[in-house]
């Protein structure tokens, strides 16, 4: 059997393990929300709306990725160590 035959399986397994290991934590989501809100609007930053939004957000992990919600809306999405804040 050829070693190249197993290469796609090894790469896929490495990617899945990497996704689990690099899945952003709740603190990473909250910090990114605070930063993005204060960057979008200095007034909201001064009023602490980013802090408030990050405080009331609920963290959800699906193993390979994670997200936070505020009420019924998705606030942030994260995977592979990167967090994106939704508008």
């Amino acid at each position: 059997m050829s070693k190249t035959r197993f290469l796609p399986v090894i790469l896929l397994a490495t990617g899945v393990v990497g996704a689990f290991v690099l899945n952003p934590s709740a603190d990473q989501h909250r910090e990114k929300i605070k930063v993005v809100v204060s960057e979008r609007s200095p007034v909201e930053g001064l009023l602490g709306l980013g802090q408030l939004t990050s405080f009331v957000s609920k963290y959800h992990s699906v193993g390979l990725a994670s997200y936070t919600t505020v009420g019924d809306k998705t606030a942030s999405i994260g995977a592979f160590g990167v967090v994106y804040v939704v508008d």
Side-chain angles (χ1 to χ4, degrees), residues 1 7-8 10 13-14 17 23 26-27 32 36 40 43 46 55 57 62 68 73 76-78 82:
M1 292 192 175
L7 186 60
I10 292 170
T14 302
V17 169
N23 188 12
D27 290 334
K32 185 70 173 188
V36 169
R40 287 182 183 165
V43 174
L46 286 173
F55 179 72
S57 66
V62 290
T68 60
K73 294 183 178 182
S76 64
I77 301 167
V82 178

Side-chain angles (χ1 to χ4, degrees), residues 47-61:
L47 294 175
L49 293 181
Q51 177 74 27
L52 178 64
T53 303
S54 69
F55 179 72
V56 297
S57 66
K58 292 183 181 179
Y59 175 77
H60 307 276
S61 177

